[in-house]
Amino acid sequence: MLNIILFGAPGCGKGTQAQRLAAHYDLYHISTGEVIRGEIKAGTELGRSMEAYISRGELAPDSIVVEMVRNYMASHSDKGCIFDGFPRTTAQAEIFDEMLKEVNSEVTTMVFMDVPEEELVRRILLRGKDSGRADDSSEEVIRNRIEVYRQQTEIVAEHYTRQEKYAEVNGLGTMDEVFERLCAVIDSKR
Ligand code: ADP
């Protein structure tokens, strides 16, 4: 079973490529950011508790995010999955590994999409214009999300490097070019 983690800074193109990869390899696609936005929109208690973090560009608490993924996987275990925006801390990665082990599964590979910071900010501001996402419209919040990524998330690469599951692709170029690069890595790990 293929379990692919798409990894990279906010705005690197994970969401777009995750959708295409899910269709190409017949996998589920979970974006923890989207699940959180869904909870907020639905006005659930969980959503309300996470709103403040998101609006500041901070991470939601590990315990909440992990439970969201656990719930998702309980009803989506008949095929592999693309994980988009998860795990974002080493603590999440450690719990995630255990979670997969319990169902005799594991992460196949983590693929990092490399995009320079100025391009990230440019893309997110552009996306904010039509997505209506509040956290995509303020340059200050965007810069903070990138900073949080550098402080707390970047290090998760080391976790999967130790497991010899880490790979990188250049995230610049057309969407087709990046897709081809991702497929080449995934095909080499199957
Ligand atoms: P982006 O990667 O472009 O910032 P996402 O949709 O992946 O967009 O995430 C939006 C926000 O949701 C993040 O800034 C963070 O506050 C929250 N979030 C998403 N995934 C996680 C996670 N795994 N752990 C903690 N917070 C998360």
Side-chain angles (χ1 to χ4, degrees), residues 126-189:
L126 206 67
R127 179 173 76 185
K129 278 188 189 147
D130 42 42
S131 75
R133 266 177 66 174
D135 64 339
D136 279 352
S137 304
S138 147
E139 180 154 348
E140 193 188 335
V141 173
I142 295 170
R143 297 260 178 212
N144 191 43
R145 277 155 61 197
I146 295 172
E147 185 57 27
V148 166
Y149 167 79
R150 305 249 181 261
Q151 302 270 343
Q152 302 182 48
T153 304
E154 215 160 43
I155 196 166
V156 182
E158 289 175 23
H159 180 89
Y160 290 100
T161 301
R162 283 193 290 276
Q163 299 183 12
E164 298 180 6
K165 289 179 175 172
Y166 179 76
E168 293 186 357
V169 300
N170 178 359
L172 288 177
T174 66
M175 283 201 272
D176 286 346
E177 282 164 353
V178 177
F179 179 71
E180 294 296 323
R181 291 176 199 141
L182 290 167
C183 289
V185 169
I186 293 168
D187 290 340
S188 75
K189 303 279 181 183

Side-chain angles (χ1 to χ4, degrees), residues 9-11 14 31-34 36-37 53-54 57-62 65 84-88 92 124 127 133 135-136 145:
K14 295 187 295 283
S31 154
T32 42
E34 257 173 46
I36 295 171
R37 282 190 291 280
Y53 299 102
I54 295 238
E58 292 166 12
L59 295 183
D62 288 336
V65 177
D84 160 7
F86 178 88
R88 249 171 159 100
Q92 290 179 17
I124 297 174
R127 179 173 76 185
R133 266 177 66 174
D135 64 339
D136 279 352
R145 277 155 61 197

Side-chain angles (χ1 to χ4, degrees), residues 81-121:
C81 192
I82 310 258
F83 296 88
D84 160 7
F86 178 88
R88 249 171 159 100
T89 63
T90 301
Q92 290 179 17
E94 284 167 355
I95 302 171
F96 185 43
D97 285 353
E98 288 303 312
M99 213 191 288
L100 288 172
K101 216 185 252 170
E102 281 165 22
V103 292
N104 285 321
S105 189
E106 61 178 342
V107 169
T108 310
T109 183
M110 165 184 265
V111 196
F112 169 65
M113 298 168 63
D114 192 9
V115 174
E117 175 151 346
E118 287 319 304
E119 173 67 8
L120 297 172
V121 176

